[in-house]
Amino acid sequence: MSLNEIDSLLNLLEQQASVLEPDLFQRQQVQSEVEQYVQTFLSQLPQRPSFVVTPDKGIKMLDSPISENSISIQEALQLLNDNVDTPGLNPASPRHMGYIPGGGLYYSGLGDYLAAVTNKYAGLFYSAPGAVRMENMLLRWMAGIIGFPEDAAGNLASGGSIATLIALATARDAMGVKARQIPDSVVYMSAQAHHCLEKALRIAGLGECPVRILPMDAQYRLQPEALEHAITADQKAGLRPWLLIATAGTTDVGAIDPLLALSSIAKKHGLWYHVDAAYGGFFALAPSGKEKLSGIEQADSVVLDPHKGLFVPFGLGAVLIKNKAQMAQTHHYQANYMQDTLSATEEASPADLSPELTKHFRGLRLWLPLKLHGVAPFRSALEEKLLLAQYVYQRLCHMPNVEVPVEPELSVVVFRVIPSSGADINTFNQKLSLAVQQDGRVFLSSTKLQDSFMLRFAILSFRTHKETLDLALQILQEKAAELEANWQA
C-alpha cells in the first residue's frame, strides 16, 4: 500500500471512528437522559418493590444483541429498566434486609462518574500522584478507625474476597509457609467464618493446609479455650500452627469473636492473626460499636468493606496489613517498560501491594461522599442500625410463637416462627421466607443454624429506618397467619 493510499484510508477510518467522541451538545443530551433516569429511579425508590419475580428474568435483554448498529439512549435506558433494574433483587431499596446490603450513596455514583471520565490510572504513584495520595489517605483513615498504626500498609480492592486473598497471600509469605510445609501448616477458624476465606486459601496455594473448625459458644463466637487446646494438640502431633482467622461480624448472625482473647493466644503461639471485619469493622465509628471491636487493633491483617458499612456501591473492599515491607515483598514486581515509574516513591503504589496492575480509581467513590457529607452522618447511620437491630430483636421476642436464639451484637437478627398448627418447623419457615420474598415489599433472606431453618434481618442500608422494620414485622405476621390458616384447612 502506498503512502497516499495509507493517508486516504486513515482519513476514512478517523471519520468513522469520530463518533466515539460526541460533541458538547451530544454529551449534554445523553447526560440529561441518564440523569433523568437516575432521578426517577431514586424518587420512586421508596415505593419500588425490594424483590420482583418475573417469568422471563430479563431475557429480553438478549433480543438486542451487540451489533454494528447503534441505538438511541432512550432505547438503551428502556432495556436497562425492563431487564436489569426491575427483575430480581433491588439492593438500593430501603427494604432490602436480606444479604448484607450494599450501599448506593448518590455522591459515590458521582465519584465513579468522575473517575471514569477523567480515567486516571490509580495503580502507580508516578502516573497519578494525587489519586494514590487520596487512596492511601483513605486507608490511613481506616487504620485509625480500628487502631492500626499510621504506617500500616493497605489496598482498596474490588471487595472483601480479593482483600482477603491479598491478606492471606501476605500471611503465607510472612510466616514462611513453603509448598512442602503446607500439609503440616494448620489454620484455625470457626464454622461462622465466611466462605471467601477458604476460597482465598485455595487460590493462594494453601488448599492442603489442615483447617480446624473450632467450637463456638451459644452466641456463635469462637471459643478461646478450644483454640488453645487445638493448637497444643497440633504442636504435640508435630504439626505447625500458623494462621488464626477471627470474625468481627459473621454473616449468619453478626457475631463478633472474642478478639482480644484470641489475639493473646495467637501472640503466645506465634500465629498470624487475621480478622475478617468486612461486615462489622466500620461499626467502630459508632459510639456503641467501638467497644464491641476491642482487640481488632492487635491483628496482623484486617479486611473491611466500605461497600457495606460505609454505604458506597458494590465494588470496594479494603485490606490493612501492619507489616508493610512484607505486603510489598509478596505483591511487588517490576517490568522493564515500567522503569520510568521508579523515580516516584513518596507514596506506596497500589500496584505494588496487590495482584492488580490495571486498576479502577476506586478511592473517588469513597472520598467524595466523605468530603461532601463529613463523617458525622455515617456515625449516626451506623449507630441507628445497631439500635434498629435491638428494636426488631425486642419486637420479635415479644411476639408469640417466635424464637430468637441469638441477641444481636451488630445489625443481624435471626429468628424463626414455631407454628401452632403442628407443621414441621423447618418447612413452615421455608414457606414463610418464600411468601415474604414473593410479596416483594420487603426482602429477608434465610440461613441455617445447626439443622434449623432461620429467617434473618440484615439491617445495614442507610435508607432503612424504623418504619421499614415495622412494615417488615407486619408482613411477617400476615404471611405467618396465612400459612397457619392454610395448614389447618
Side-chain angles (χ1 to χ4, degrees), residues 421-436:
S421 60
D424 178 78
I425 299 175
N426 280 354
T427 302
F428 183 90
N429 282 277
Q430 192 169 3
K431 289 183 179 295
L432 176 59
S433 175
L434 184 61
V436 171

mmCIF file of all heavy atoms in Angstrom, residues 421-436:
data_model
loop_
_atom_site.group_PDB
_atom_site.id
_atom_site.type_symbol
_atom_site.label_atom_id
_atom_site.label_comp_id
_atom_site.label_asym_id
_atom_site.label_seq_id
_atom_site.Cartn_x
_atom_site.Cartn_y
_atom_site.Cartn_z
ATOM 1 N N SER A 421 -49.859 -24.845 64.336
ATOM 2 C CA SER A 421 -50.636 -25.840 63.580
ATOM 3 C C SER A 421 -50.042 -27.234 63.658
ATOM 4 O O SER A 421 -50.652 -28.201 63.203
ATOM 5 C CB SER A 421 -50.714 -25.416 62.112
ATOM 6 O OG SER A 421 -49.403 -25.334 61.558
ATOM 7 N N GLY A 422 -48.836 -27.334 64.210
ATOM 8 C CA GLY A 422 -48.172 -28.638 64.258
ATOM 9 C C GLY A 422 -47.367 -28.939 63.014
ATOM 10 O O GLY A 422 -46.838 -30.050 62.868
ATOM 11 N N ALA A 423 -47.275 -27.987 62.096
ATOM 12 C CA ALA A 423 -46.487 -28.190 60.880
ATOM 13 C C ALA A 423 -45.009 -28.337 61.215
ATOM 14 O O ALA A 423 -44.538 -27.879 62.268
ATOM 15 C CB ALA A 423 -46.690 -27.002 59.945
ATOM 16 N N ASP A 424 -44.274 -29.006 60.337
ATOM 17 C CA ASP A 424 -42.833 -29.112 60.512
ATOM 18 C C ASP A 424 -42.231 -27.712 60.554
ATOM 19 O O ASP A 424 -42.500 -26.875 59.682
ATOM 20 C CB ASP A 424 -42.220 -29.912 59.354
ATOM 21 C CG ASP A 424 -40.715 -29.999 59.460
ATOM 22 O OD1 ASP A 424 -40.227 -30.796 60.264
ATOM 23 O OD2 ASP A 424 -40.041 -29.236 58.736
ATOM 24 N N ILE A 425 -41.410 -27.446 61.572
ATOM 25 C CA ILE A 425 -40.923 -26.083 61.806
ATOM 26 C C ILE A 425 -40.074 -25.587 60.644
ATOM 27 O O ILE A 425 -40.243 -24.461 60.156
ATOM 28 C CB ILE A 425 -40.134 -26.011 63.129
ATOM 29 C CG1 ILE A 425 -41.033 -26.381 64.304
ATOM 30 C CG2 ILE A 425 -39.561 -24.608 63.329
ATOM 31 C CD1 ILE A 425 -40.308 -26.454 65.631
ATOM 32 N N ASN A 426 -39.157 -26.428 60.180
ATOM 33 C CA ASN A 426 -38.292 -26.001 59.079
ATOM 34 C C ASN A 426 -39.092 -25.751 57.801
ATOM 35 O O ASN A 426 -38.878 -24.758 57.097
ATOM 36 C CB ASN A 426 -37.207 -27.047 58.814
ATOM 37 C CG ASN A 426 -36.047 -26.939 59.791
ATOM 38 O OD1 ASN A 426 -35.991 -26.017 60.608
ATOM 39 N ND2 ASN A 426 -35.126 -27.873 59.719
ATOM 40 N N THR A 427 -40.015 -26.640 57.509
ATOM 41 C CA THR A 427 -40.836 -26.484 56.300
ATOM 42 C C THR A 427 -41.678 -25.217 56.381
ATOM 43 O O THR A 427 -41.798 -24.463 55.407
ATOM 44 C CB THR A 427 -41.749 -27.707 56.109
ATOM 45 O OG1 THR A 427 -40.929 -28.882 56.027
ATOM 46 C CG2 THR A 427 -42.574 -27.573 54.838
ATOM 47 N N PHE A 428 -42.253 -24.963 57.558
ATOM 48 C CA PHE A 428 -43.090 -23.780 57.734
ATOM 49 C C PHE A 428 -42.274 -22.507 57.502
ATOM 50 O O PHE A 428 -42.715 -21.595 56.786
ATOM 51 C CB PHE A 428 -43.687 -23.770 59.145
ATOM 52 C CG PHE A 428 -44.624 -22.621 59.395
ATOM 53 C CD1 PHE A 428 -45.977 -22.743 59.132
ATOM 54 C CD2 PHE A 428 -44.152 -21.410 59.891
ATOM 55 C CE1 PHE A 428 -46.845 -21.688 59.356
ATOM 56 C CE2 PHE A 428 -45.005 -20.347 60.119
ATOM 57 C CZ PHE A 428 -46.361 -20.488 59.853
ATOM 58 N N ASN A 429 -41.080 -22.436 58.084
ATOM 59 C CA ASN A 429 -40.275 -21.227 57.943
ATOM 60 C C ASN A 429 -39.718 -21.071 56.536
ATOM 61 O O ASN A 429 -39.537 -19.944 56.053
ATOM 62 C CB ASN A 429 -39.148 -21.218 58.984
ATOM 63 C CG ASN A 429 -39.654 -20.824 60.358
ATOM 64 O OD1 ASN A 429 -39.786 -19.648 60.675
ATOM 65 N ND2 ASN A 429 -39.975 -21.827 61.180
ATOM 66 N N GLN A 430 -39.476 -22.164 55.881
ATOM 67 C CA GLN A 430 -39.046 -22.093 54.488
ATOM 68 C C GLN A 430 -40.158 -21.506 53.616
ATOM 69 O O GLN A 430 -39.918 -20.640 52.771
ATOM 70 C CB GLN A 430 -38.660 -23.487 53.989
ATOM 71 C CG GLN A 430 -37.929 -23.484 52.661
ATOM 72 C CD GLN A 430 -37.325 -24.846 52.347
ATOM 73 O OE1 GLN A 430 -37.492 -25.813 53.098
ATOM 74 N NE2 GLN A 430 -36.631 -24.937 51.238
ATOM 75 N N LYS A 431 -41.379 -21.928 53.856
ATOM 76 C CA LYS A 431 -42.524 -21.394 53.117
ATOM 77 C C LYS A 431 -42.793 -19.941 53.504
ATOM 78 O O LYS A 431 -43.180 -19.122 52.662
ATOM 79 C CB LYS A 431 -43.764 -22.255 53.360
ATOM 80 C CG LYS A 431 -43.702 -23.629 52.694
ATOM 81 C CD LYS A 431 -44.989 -24.401 52.911
ATOM 82 C CE LYS A 431 -44.948 -25.761 52.221
ATOM 83 N NZ LYS A 431 -44.873 -25.616 50.738
ATOM 84 N N LEU A 432 -42.557 -19.620 54.764
ATOM 85 C CA LEU A 432 -42.739 -18.235 55.212
ATOM 86 C C LEU A 432 -41.726 -17.319 54.528
ATOM 87 O O LEU A 432 -42.081 -16.223 54.057
ATOM 88 C CB LEU A 432 -42.584 -18.152 56.732
ATOM 89 C CG LEU A 432 -42.655 -16.753 57.358
ATOM 90 C CD1 LEU A 432 -43.991 -16.079 57.044
ATOM 91 C CD2 LEU A 432 -42.436 -16.834 58.872
ATOM 92 N N SER A 433 -40.484 -17.738 54.452
ATOM 93 C CA SER A 433 -39.448 -16.957 53.789
ATOM 94 C C SER A 433 -39.809 -16.716 52.328
ATOM 95 O O SER A 433 -39.713 -15.589 51.822
ATOM 96 C CB SER A 433 -38.103 -17.690 53.887
ATOM 97 O OG SER A 433 -37.105 -17.020 53.151
ATOM 98 N N LEU A 434 -40.269 -17.763 51.660
ATOM 99 C CA LEU A 434 -40.647 -17.647 50.249
ATOM 100 C C LEU A 434 -41.843 -16.715 50.077
ATOM 101 O O LEU A 434 -41.885 -15.904 49.143
ATOM 102 C CB LEU A 434 -40.961 -19.035 49.688
ATOM 103 C CG LEU A 434 -41.275 -19.117 48.192
ATOM 104 C CD1 LEU A 434 -40.079 -18.629 47.369
ATOM 105 C CD2 LEU A 434 -41.643 -20.553 47.805
ATOM 106 N N ALA A 435 -42.803 -16.810 50.984
ATOM 107 C CA ALA A 435 -44.003 -15.963 50.894
ATOM 108 C C ALA A 435 -43.644 -14.483 51.048
ATOM 109 O O ALA A 435 -44.174 -13.621 50.333
ATOM 110 C CB ALA A 435 -45.017 -16.374 51.955
ATOM 111 N N VAL A 436 -42.736 -14.183 51.976
ATOM 112 C CA VAL A 436 -42.315 -12.797 52.179
ATOM 113 C C VAL A 436 -41.574 -12.284 50.947
ATOM 114 O O VAL A 436 -41.798 -11.158 50.480
ATOM 115 C CB VAL A 436 -41.434 -12.676 53.438
ATOM 116 C CG1 VAL A 436 -40.816 -11.281 53.534
ATOM 117 C CG2 VAL A 436 -42.249 -12.970 54.692
#
